[in-house]
Each structure stands twice: as structure tokens, then as C-alpha cells.
Amino acid sequence: MQPILKFLSAKFAWILLAAFIAFIVAEGGVGVLIKDWRFAVELAVDGVLTGLMYSLIAVGFVLIYKSTDAINFAQGEFVMIAAIVVAGCLDWFGLPLWLSILVGFGFMVVFGMTLERFVLRPMIGMNIVAIIMATIGLAFFLRGAGPLIFGAAPSTINLPIPDSPIVWGLLYLTPIKLLGAAVSILFLAGFGWFFLKTRKGVAMRAVADSHQVSMAMGINVERYFAVAWVTAGVVALLGGLAWGNMIGVDTQLALVGLKVFPVVILGGLDSIIGVIVGGIVVGLVEALTAGFVDPYVGGGMKDFAPYVLMVIMLMIRPYGIFGRRLIERI
Amino acid sequence: MLRLNNIEVMYNNVILVLKGVSINIEEGKITTILGANGAGKTTTLKAISGVLRSERGEVTHGTIELAGERIDRMMGHDIVRKGVVQVFEGRRVFANLTCAENLIAGAHVEPSSAAMRQRMDMVFEYFPRIAERRHGRAGYLSGGEQQMLAIGRSLMSNPKVILLDEPSLGLAPLIIEEIFTIISRLNKEQGVTIGLVEQNANLALRISDFAYVMENGSIMMEGPAAQLLDNADIKEFYLGISEHGERKNYRDVKSYRRRKRWLS
Ligand SMILES: Nc1ncnc2c1ncn2[C@@H]1O[C@H](COP(=O)(O)OP(=O)(O)OP(=O)(O)O)[C@@H](O)[C@H]1O
Ligand SMILES: [Mg+2]
């Protein structure tokens, strides 16, 4: 009985997912019929690029989860803070761009280290819920403190990247999105290699598996924690530059962090490949919904479609497409 | 080699679990700590390996010395570098890593990759079953295989002392026999000093040189393993043999009183 039920519920899961995919395809199909297919392709390409830029934000989250087993609800705020620092250097101090980015880099390194040392390290051994609450508190603190210190006026980071789209065959590609997506893939590939192929990467995964046992293997757990938080901070700087350039720098920027959740739930909380695929799926769903559904329903569906997908995913495959299944045998 | 001098351990600054424990683990020997559930055996091993802090525990009194050097104030990861490694109760393999990756993580203190591979080959020789499953996820191994992996992983740091916490826990008699044979071989062939915590007193005493009996956070009895194997109380409480069969006599009653005191 049990196995049959399991089988059925697994099937049900796939039916739901297939229905959703059919919905997306239908979106595209209808779009092709009533608009033109070039529009559909363009939306899809734009969606994929945007999605990869979501991956760039989500990877910081995954890094922290993979190595410290903590869920960082403040990843979007990291992005915001990094962008605010860079924008502040540009606007207030009139520093050149490269120097501003360097200051932002230094700031995020110190920021990650401080956070690990004074907030997360004392919490080692505490309940995971306590750590989650701490990061939620941190998120709200940063959202308040960022504008307080650096001013609330919206600003932008102008990267020396042309705004006019690159025309490639039938496609119009936004340069900043291309660059963002390329940086994203580069970093994700780098992290994937690190975790799978290097001894330090293996140690980091061991730390995530069990702090105590890793310590007993001679692994300096606290140092790995610090490395994880600093890396998450630095990756947030990249996200902040790309997104800050695109949508401007103010507290709203932190909201891109919310996209992290559908991305990582779809791809799997601890999977680097999952971050890429999850990002692409979320970007696609968003772009197609924005292009083909929103005009008829008066807009707004674009923003919650990825979350619908996320909820379906949670029902059928809580560990995501590529995430590890929790092994329950002892 | 490893000497605990009158140590006290407290959890959360209030729960006193070890109340003055002195233990000497001699170089090249196998030393066993026996004791009922909750006696403080695991806490003793964790105090040595320095991982108490991650459970909000602390050595509040006494000293732990490794070859004359105090290690009770050291961090767990530095103690491994000194050559003491603990194999935890319940195996605790890295479930999401492959067997080979578990061993790689175990060799963290070994900077040379070539030396690491050599040690890995040695582990595979002792545990051919792990060699066969080296690319499989550790979480899917059987209990016995996980115990082998846990022991193999501890060997990767090239330890002088291995602390084994109940390696027989939840395993079938045949596997237990196999694991104890390997422990004994490691001690003889590799010269590793072994500190063993066990409930399975019979087996443990048979491969050990010296033994301690712990009760309620203190040492109640100590002596050469062979001597403890002969001791009437040990026989009754751990080996399940009573001297006069089922017949109730004065001796049994006396032992029963003693047992009650033991377990209180
Ligand atoms: N992290 C902890 N915090 C508080 N108390 C603890 C902690 N760990 C162990 N204890 C307590 O310390 C006492 C000794 O525990 P310990 O695990 O050392 O016993 P043990 O001899 O290994 O028992 P067993 O044979 O069941 O493994 C127990 O009463 C236990 O409740
Ligand atoms: Mg124990």
C-alpha cells in the first residue's frame, strides 16, 4: 500500500509540473499566434539572461547553506548594502568607478567577517531556527541602517557599459544583462569546481554536514564559516553592481533577494547546477508571463508566477530538482 | 601518552557531568572505559578531543595532557593536529559525501595530497568493503560499513591516539567481531594507541590491556583488562553471567545491592 501511494503521489507531482510547463508553453504558443514569434524568442532570451542574474544573487545564499547549513534571509540586503556603498563612493566622494568598486569589495569582506565573528559564531551549536531568526533580524536592520548611513535618495551605479542593445540576428540583447549572465555563469562554474574537485571544497561540504564531526577531523570550522560569509558578501557586490546598474540603488534593490527563494527551491538549496537551472526557469517564467499574460490580466502576474511554481515544487520535490535528498537512514 | 588528571566537565555552566575523572591511556595499548548509560563516557572522550565547546560544555577543573603537553584548553581542530582523533558514537559519517570524500575530509590536517592518497590506500586495505563503495554516498552504507568508514576516516589524519565511542553500537555480532578484530590489528600493526568506550564489556575487555569502569561521572574501578574480566561484579553487570547460575543466594543479593548503587 505504502509504495503504491508513494508512486501515485510522485506521479501526481509530475502531472502538476507538466501542467505548469504546458501552461508556460501555451503562453508562448498563444503569444506566437497572436503576436509574433520573434517577440516570444526575444522574451525567452531576455528571461534566460535575467534568470542568470538571479542566479548570481542566489549563489551567495547557496554558498552559505552549503557550508554552514544556515539559511540567510538577508542575501538581498547584502546586495543592497554593497550597491549603496559603491553608489555612495561615486556620489558623495566622487571617487572613480574602479576605486568605488574596490572600496565596496573591501567593505563587503570586512562586513562578512564581522558578521560571522560577532553574530554567527556565537550561535554555533544553537538551533537552526535561532540562526534563521538572526538573519531575518539582520535583514531588517540592514534595510534600516543602509539608508540611514548612506542617505535614502535613490542613486544609480553607472557602469561603462552601453545601454543600446546589441543586435545579433533577430535578437536584441541588453549588454548589462549579457555581462551579468556571463559573470554569473563564470562564478557558478568556479564554485562548482571548487566544491567538487578541491580538498578545501570537500572540507567545506563536510562542515555543512556536521560542524562537530568536522572539527574532530581537524577542520577549522570557524575559518570556513568566515570564508563562506565573506564570499557571499563579495558575490553580493557583483549582484549589486549588475542590478544597481539596471534598476537603480535604493532599498528596493533588496527586493531582488526575494527572487532567491523560488530559484533555490526549484534548483535545490545546496546545488550549484540547481542555482543555474532554477534561475533560468524563474527568469523564463517571469518574462513569458510578463509578455503574454500580464497584458490581459492587467499586470502583476509576472511577480507571483515564480512563487506559484515554487509552491508546486515544494509539494512534490522539496529538495529541488538537483538538491540532495535528506538521507534518513542512520 | 594521554593522561586525564581529576577533570570536571560542566554543560551549560550548570550540569556537572564529570566529577573528578582520572584516566591514563598508555602508549601503544588499548584502554577501555566501561559504564552504564549516562555515566559520562562520551563526555570524557569529547573532553579529550576538544569538541565539548560546540555543545556548550567545558572542562572546568583538572588537566588533560598528551605526552606531557596540556591540551584541555586547545581547540578541537588543533588537537587533531597533535595526533588525537575521535570516532563518534553512532558513526556520524558525512552522509552527503561519498566514501572517498569522507576520507579526504578526514585527511584535512595532511597537507600533502600524495601522502593523503597513500593513507587512503591503507584504509582501503583494512576495509575492502569501503574500497568497493568509494564513490557511493556514505549515507547509504549499512551500519557496519558506516562504522568502518568512520574508523577509516579517523585513520586519515595519521593519529597517534584514536578514541572510539561504542563502535559496536547497533551492529550484528558478526560485524562487531570483524570490527574489533580490525581495531586490534590497527593497534598491533600501526602502533596506534586506542581509547575505547564500550557497553559490550566482554569483547572490549578481551582486546584491551587496561580498563576503567565509570559510574555517574566518576571512576569506580580500574585494573588490567584480564583482571576485570574475572571480576564478579563486571561479570554480572556486563557479561550477564552469574556465578551460581539461577540460584539465589547471599552473594546474588549482595551483588544486587551493589548493582543498584551502581545504576543510581
Ligand atoms: N550536550 C549536553 N548538554 C547537557 N547535558 C549533557 C550533554 N551531553 C550529555 N549530557 C549529560 O551528561 C551525562 C553523561 O552523558 P554521556 O553522553 O557522556 O554518557 P555516556 O556514558 O556516553 O552514555 P551512553 O552509554 O548512553 O552513551 C548524561 O546525564 C547526559 O544527559
Ligand atoms: Mg555515550
Side-chain angles (χ1 to χ4, degrees):
Chain A
M1 197 60 206
Q2 192 88 15
I4 298 172
L5 276 178
K6 261 195 188 144
F7 178 75
L8 278 181
S9 69
K11 261 269 179 335
F12 174 70
W14 291 113
I15 292 168
L16 260 181
L17 196 66
F20 196 89
I21 291 169
F23 170 69
I24 306 282
V25 172
E27 263 178 34
V30 170
V32 169
L33 286 179
I34 59 173
K35 305 253 174 153
D36 65 320
W37 62 274
R38 282 185 198 184
F39 183 51
V41 171
E42 217 167 279
L43 281 176
V45 170
D46 187 67
V48 168
L49 294 180
T50 312
L52 283 170
M53 288 180 62
Y54 288 144
S55 305
L56 189 58
I57 312 256
V59 70
F61 180 93
V62 170
L63 270 176
I64 286 177
Y65 182 74
K66 248 178 122 68
S67 48
T68 71
D69 226 11
I71 307 249
N72 179 22
F73 274 86
Q75 192 63 37
E77 281 71 16
F78 281 24
V79 172
M80 175 199 77
I81 271 291
I84 285 182
V85 170
V86 175
C89 287
L90 289 169
D91 292 354
W92 286 8
F93 304 113
L95 297 181
L97 182 67
W98 66 269
L99 194 56
S100 303
I101 293 177
L102 208 64
V103 171
F105 178 84
F107 179 87
M108 290 316 283
V109 169
V110 175
F111 176 77
M113 265 161 48
T114 315
L115 209 59
E116 190 277 329
R117 181 67 191 81
F118 295 106
V119 181
L120 291 135
R121 190 180 301 179
M123 299 189 77
I124 289 180
M126 279 194 197
N127 191 314
I128 179 86
V129 176
I131 296 172
I132 291 175
M133 290 302 158
T135 68
I136 292 178
L138 180 71
F140 283 97
F141 170 76
L142 291 177
R143 239 186 249 190
L148 199 71
I149 299 167
F150 299 98
S155 172
T156 51
I157 298 171
N158 282 315
L159 301 177
I161 295 166
D163 283 334
S164 51
I166 300 168
V167 185
W168 186 55
L170 297 165
L171 300 175
Y172 290 79
L173 303 169
T174 324
I176 178 65
K177 284 193 179 176
L178 264 183
L179 188 70
V183 168
S184 178
I185 286 189
L186 202 72
F187 268 76
L188 286 161
F191 286 129
W193 172 81
F194 171 75
F195 277 116
L196 280 178
K197 297 291 175 205
T198 69
R199 288 179 62 185
K200 292 216 155 50
V202 170
M204 209 153 190
R205 280 156 60 213
V207 169
D209 205 303
S210 166
H211 304 165
Q212 192 180 46
V213 179
S214 303
M215 199 186 288
M217 301 288 99
I219 298 171
N220 186 339
V221 172
E222 288 162 358
R223 185 181 307 156
Y224 276 86
F225 276 22
V227 168
W229 285 92
V230 166
T231 315
V234 171
V235 175
L237 173 70
L238 294 173
L241 289 175
W243 282 96
N245 180 272
M246 250 174 28
I247 62 177
V249 180
D250 58 12
T251 47
Q252 295 293 309
L253 188 53
L255 297 181
V256 295
L258 292 179
K259 287 285 160 29
V260 162
F261 297 103
V263 171
V264 297
I265 295 293
L266 283 171
L269 277 173
D270 58 351
S271 163
I272 299 285
I273 303 255
V275 169
I276 299 180
V277 175
I280 289 177
V281 172
V282 167
L284 267 178
V285 167
E286 246 187 27
L288 293 179
T289 309
F292 295 128
V293 182
D294 275 356
Y296 302 101
V297 297
M301 253 195 84
K302 152 187 189 279
D303 290 319
F304 71 77
Y307 295 94
V308 173
L309 193 57
M310 175 177 101
V311 171
I312 295 181
M313 200 64 189
L314 276 176
M315 283 162 59
I316 64 180
R317 221 179 139 88
Y319 38 85
I321 305 173
F322 296 98
R324 67 184 181 200
R325 287 164 197 253
L326 287 182
I327 298 173
E328 265 156 37
R329 112 180 272 163
I330 302 170
Chain B
M1 178 101 221
L2 194 58
R3 191 184 282 279
L4 282 67
N5 302 310
N6 204 20
I7 63 161
E8 281 181 10
V9 167
M10 239 193 247
Y11 283 113
N12 294 316
N13 290 322
V14 282
I15 314 164
L16 184 66
V17 172
L18 296 191
K19 303 154 187 166
V21 168
S22 298
I23 285 176
N24 184 21
I25 296 178
E26 245 181 272
E27 182 159 11
K29 298 275 165 63
I30 301 183
T31 306
T32 293
I33 305 172
L34 302 172
N37 288 116
K41 309 178 297 291
T42 298
T43 303
T44 307
L45 294 194
K46 285 181 177 165
I48 302 172
S49 64
V51 298
L52 275 179
R53 278 214 303 162
S54 63
E55 293 183 18
R56 319 219 139 218
E58 202 187 347
V59 179
T60 49
H61 191 267
T63 60
I64 302 174
E65 288 165 20
L66 175 72
E69 183 187 6
R70 268 188 79 165
I71 58 169
D72 48 292
R73 294 267 170 269
M74 279 187 195
M75 303 285 292
H77 55 85
D78 290 326
I79 291 175
V80 180
R81 277 172 212 279
K82 296 279 172 199
V84 181
V85 66
Q86 179 177 4
V87 178
F88 286 92
E89 185 176 343
R91 278 91 66 176
R92 308 273 297 271
V93 295
F94 298 121
N96 296 299
L97 273 56
T98 65
C99 293
E101 286 171 341
N102 265 271
L103 297 181
I104 292 172
H108 190 74
V109 297
E110 171 60 68
S112 144
S113 291
M116 179 193 80
R117 271 190 292 276
Q118 253 175 20
R119 292 207 70 77
M120 205 185 264
D121 288 340
M122 186 198 87
V123 170
F124 287 154
E125 256 169 55
Y126 276 98
F127 303 102
R129 286 207 234 173
I130 301 303
E132 281 165 33
R133 291 161 179 74
R134 69 179 84 182
H135 297 304
R137 271 217 249 170
Y140 295 129
L141 295 179
S142 75
E145 290 159 355
Q146 289 193 1
Q147 187 64 60
M148 294 178 185
L149 179 60
I151 297 174
R153 184 178 60 182
S154 75
L155 282 170
M156 294 298 292
S157 63
N158 200 5
K160 297 193 191 90
V161 185
I162 300 184
L163 305 168
L164 292 157
D165 197 348
E166 298 201 36
S168 72
L169 190 74
L171 302 182
L174 222 58
I175 302 284
I176 298 180
E177 197 83 46
E178 193 180 334
I179 285 174
F180 271 64
T181 309
I182 293 173
I183 294 173
S184 187
R185 273 180 60 204
L186 285 171
N187 172 250
K188 302 226 158 50
E189 299 169 6
Q190 307 292 325
V192 196
T193 305
I194 287 175
L196 179 64
V197 157
E198 259 303 333
Q199 304 258 7
N200 192 332
N202 193 2
L203 263 177
L205 288 175
R206 276 202 275 136
I207 66 163
S208 301
D209 299 292
F210 203 84
Y212 293 83
V213 176
M214 196 176 222
E215 181 189 332
N216 248 326
S218 329
I219 300 293
M220 293 308 287
M221 204 185 284
E222 60 179 89
Q227 192 180 317
L228 260 71
L229 206 48
D230 264 349
N231 180 295
D233 279 346
I234 300 280
K235 266 193 182 156
E236 197 166 334
F237 307 141
Y238 289 105
L239 310 181
I241 309 161
S242 92
E243 253 168 78
H244 297 281
E246 293 301 303
R247 262 183 59 208
K248 292 232 184 286
N249 58 21
Y250 178 64
R251 265 187 90 89
D252 282 346
V253 176
K254 206 174 76 182
S255 291
Y256 174 64
R257 281 219 190 96
R258 251 182 273 162
R259 167 161 55 180
K260 265 186 85 175
R261 196 191 65 223
W262 265 48
L263 301 176
S264 65

